[in-house]
Amino acid sequence: MLEDDVASFIAGNVMMIAATRDGALRAHVGRGCGAYFDADTGELVLLVSSSQWPDFFANARKGGPIAMTVCQPDNYRALQIKGTIAGVDVATEVQSAKASDYRDRMLAIMDRLGVSRLQLSTVFSNVDLAAIRFWPVDLFIQTPGPEAGERVQRSQS
């Protein structure tokens, strides 16, 4: 279960990249086009183009490991969430709308930071959008600095 602050951070204005691995343990990466925490299932849902990131998607299998890193582009505050894939589905219309909203928000934010739409033209795609659901099992600070790589400790309640 993710605490509200982490769930809000992931669903906020963050860039995201995730990795799966193949049978030879080689990492395959894909860039997310939105993510959110589903409080009903306890799963994170990562929205990603299956055709833009085919190797990443091909290795996204139920029961397989996944690591997702999210980073605020204006201050580099970043977290990495590791987990186990619970399922992979074609995105619903609601999820596709979330991905379009995410893409529009991030393009506007990146434009304010000096990164043009042309530079990002190959970054965000919601073509052949898939929803990868995973159970978060570990959380790490990835913000550059002395705490980078540290496991986030949460109190048990």
Side-chain angles (χ1 to χ4, degrees):
M1 181 62 89
L2 289 179
E3 295 186 19
D4 290 344
D5 60 333
V6 175
S8 294
F9 183 75
I10 292 167
N13 297 327
V14 294
M15 299 292 284
M16 54 192 67
I17 193 164
T20 58
R21 67 181 184 205
D22 63 21
L25 305 180
R26 289 181 300 225
H28 297 279
V29 299
R31 187 169 293 283
C33 203
Y36 60 94
F37 178 67
D38 184 338
D40 292 336
T41 64
E43 297 168 342
L44 279 170
V45 180
L46 172 65
L47 304 172
V48 62
S49 169
S50 61
S51 57
Q52 186 179 23
W53 310 103
D55 294 334
F56 166 79
F57 185 73
N59 290 289
R61 298 185 192 101
K62 184 176 181 179
I66 187 168
M68 179 175 80
T69 301
V70 294
C71 178
Q72 288 181 325
D74 59 341
N75 63 14
Y76 291 103
R77 181 174 175 227
L79 294 172
Q80 183 181 57
I81 305 100
K82 293 184 177 183
T84 303
I85 296 172
V88 179
D89 303 297
V90 173
T92 65
E93 286 185 34
V94 170
Q95 290 168 328
S96 293
K98 285 180 184 271
S100 292
D101 178 62
Y102 169 84
R103 183 193 60 219
D104 294 345
R105 280 187 292 120
M106 294 312 296
L107 285 172
I109 289 168
M110 297 305 286
D111 184 59
R112 287 193 297 271
L113 295 172
V115 183
S116 72
R117 283 182 176 263
L118 180 61
Q119 291 171 302
L120 295 170
S121 63
T122 60
V123 172
F124 299 113
S125 173
N126 58 3
V127 175
D128 302 320
L129 195 66
I132 299 174
R133 297 177 288 108
F134 68 98
W135 181 257
V137 295
D138 226 339
L139 179 65
F140 298 89
I141 296 168
Q142 292 298 322
T143 305
E147 295 180 334
E150 288 187 15
R151 179 173 278 124
V152 175
Q153 303 293 329
R154 297 290 181 151
S155 61
Q156 301 291 322
S157 53

